[in-house]
Amino acid sequence: MRHKKAINHLGRKSGHRKALMANMASSLIKYKRIETTVAKAKALRTYVEPLITKSKEDTTHSRRVVFSYLKDKEAVKELFGTIAPKVAERPGGYTRVLHTGFRLGDGADMALIEFVDFNEAALASAKKEEKKATRRSRSKKAEAPKAEETPAEAPKAEEQAE
């Protein structure tokens, strides 16, 4: 039973665990997506999300606090320069954990952890879904402007053809 166990210790001493989380967080910030085990991904999510929240306010103090966790200048620069402006309006939930299957060698449950706002495939599919018309929007009111636009565009098309 895990009574009163706040964090997953990942089978490591505290120094090793802190170094592991710092390195994984730096890699996640640099590459926007990493593949690891599910347990490490869930632990990393709780480690990196407060840092992203801290990076929304670009002050010397917040940069020093984040650097004390990451210990990597390039990752701090990337976090404050690229990631923070993109997630500025998001109230939380900056990362997602996607289960990918099992590792071939030892059967460990693997996952992909990535930033929500940096997955181009998911953002493109979300835009396509927004453009999709619903039954309610296909009313006669919506069709009327289309009919008015068509005759106005027809002479322009004839002029371009000439």
Side-chain angles (χ1 to χ4, degrees), residues 70-133:
L70 294 179
K71 299 168 183 62
D72 186 2
K73 286 182 183 179
E74 296 301 319
V76 172
K77 192 183 298 183
E78 179 78 14
L79 179 62
F80 280 88
T82 307
I83 296 169
K86 201 160 186 177
V87 299
E89 67 278 352
R90 183 177 286 275
Y94 312 109
T95 58
R96 76 165 61 97
V97 176
L98 301 169
H99 297 262
T100 58
F102 299 98
R103 188 160 50 199
L104 189 60
D106 60 354
D109 199 8
M110 298 299 286
L112 194 73
I113 183 168
E114 64 183 4
F115 286 113
V116 174
D117 293 326
F118 285 88
N119 188 346
E120 301 302 326
L123 292 175
S125 66
K127 289 180 183 177
K128 288 179 185 177
E129 290 175 8
E130 290 174 5
K131 292 180 183 178
K132 188 188 288 187

Side-chain angles (χ1 to χ4, degrees), residues 39-63:
K40 288 179 188 173
K42 288 180 179 179
L44 179 62
R45 180 174 51 189
T46 62
Y47 185 86
V48 80
E49 294 217 359
L51 298 179
I52 298 167
T53 303
K54 193 76 165 167
S55 72
K56 287 182 178 182
E57 184 181 354
D58 191 4
T59 61
T60 305
H61 176 68
S62 62
R63 280 183 180 264

Side-chain angles (χ1 to χ4, degrees), residues 132-140 142-143:
K132 188 188 288 187
T134 62
R135 288 193 172 226
R136 292 181 184 225
S137 67
R138 288 190 219 136
S139 65
K140 292 180 183 177
E143 293 175 9

